[in-house]
Amino acid sequence: MDDGQTPLSVSPETVTLTSSTDVCLPAAGPTVFALGGTAPYSLRNPLPDAIGLSSDTIARSGEGVTITFKGGCMQAIPIVIIDSIGNTATFKVDYVAGR
């Protein structure tokens, strides 16, 4: 619900993908959902060369953004979601080698 009464949150709060090899090749990731706050939402990605987002905005609470990994291992990279009145929520992205 994006009525401004429910605090802004994200689900999941941590995204972890484990490669099936000893390197982190390009791969599809999950969708992360914005919840609460006041829509619309914007996203801040500190590593656009390594992490792809299906959009840099989310229109409504309950909608999400899908992550793609462009290659390269990473840990605890924060992606920030900002609602229309400036509230923020962060989810962290990990992509780790499996072997």
Side-chain angles (χ1 to χ4, degrees), residues 8 12 16-18 20 24-25 27 30-31 33-34 45-49 53 63 65 80 95-96:
L8 176 61
T16 301
L17 183 67
T18 303
S20 61
C24 299
L25 298 171
T31 299
F33 299 92
N45 177 1
L47 289 178
D49 292 338
L53 301 175
E63 295 182 348
V65 61
V80 179
Y95 189 18
V96 296

Side-chain angles (χ1 to χ4, degrees), residues 17 25-30 66-70 95:
L17 183 67
L25 298 171
T66 301
I67 299 169
T68 55
F69 295 93
K70 297 179 181 180
Y95 189 18

Side-chain angles (χ1 to χ4, degrees), residues 48-99:
D49 292 338
I51 302 168
L53 301 175
S54 59
S55 179
D56 59 358
T57 61
I58 299 172
R60 288 179 275 299
S61 178
E63 295 182 348
V65 61
T66 301
I67 299 169
T68 55
F69 295 93
K70 297 179 181 180
C73 298
M74 62 195 75
Q75 287 190 293
I77 305 303
I79 307 292
V80 179
I81 295 179
I82 306 160
D83 75 4
S84 65
I85 60 171
N87 296 311
T88 63
T90 302
F91 63 94
K92 301 217 176 186
V93 176
D94 300 311
Y95 189 18
V96 296
R99 297 183 191 175

